[in-house]
Amino acid sequence: MPKAMREPTFWILTALAARALHGYGIIRDVAAMSGGEVALQAGTLYAALDRLAAEGRVEIDREEQVDGRTRRYYRLTTDGAAALDAETERLRRNVAAAVSARRLGVHPGVQPA
């Protein structure tokens, strides 16, 4: 079973699932998608993007110059999409187990004492 993905990683990959984004766009989209519960800081984001690029989960899509600064856009790779799909499925199973346990008052696979 794959190891659980860190929450910021999940949200970064989710933000990039639809289109390539630059850093501020990722920060903005993650905040919106998480209902404001996840507020990425620039340092955290760029460290995560460097790690995800080294893992082959994201890559640079393009760069542009804006006000004399380089704006780098990132996109999800095939491996990144597969990792996001696996994490989404893991979370779906967890939610289903929690809903089932609450509805039935028991935990699946656990014998009552």
Side-chain angles (χ1 to χ4, degrees):
M1 178 178 288
K3 184 173 114 177
M5 189 178 283
R6 290 180 234 159
E7 189 172 20
T9 299
F10 171 79
W11 286 111
I12 291 166
L13 296 180
T14 300
L16 294 172
R19 66 190 188 285
L21 291 167
H22 55 75
Y24 177 73
I26 295 170
I27 290 170
R28 183 193 61 228
D29 282 11
V30 165
M33 288 185 300
S34 70
E37 293 201 15
V38 178
L40 296 173
Q41 301 299 314
T44 301
L45 172 65
Y46 289 107
L49 287 170
D50 287 344
R51 178 180 51 78
L52 290 167
E55 294 171 354
R57 294 183 176 181
V58 302
E59 62 190 7
I60 296 170
D61 182 69
R62 66 187 182 279
E63 293 180 345
E64 64 185 18
Q65 293 296 315
V66 177
D67 297 326
R69 297 182 63 182
T70 301
R71 180 180 287 172
R72 184 172 289 157
Y73 287 76
Y74 296 86
R75 70 172 168 242
L76 202 58
T77 63
T78 302
D79 286 347
L84 179 59
D85 289 347
E87 180 66 2
T88 302
E89 178 58 25
R90 186 190 72 76
L91 292 170
R92 188 200 62 72
R93 285 191 311 270
N94 289 354
V95 168
V99 168
S100 177
R102 293 289 297 153
R103 186 178 315 127
L104 300 175
V106 298
H107 298 283
V110 177
Q111 298 296 320

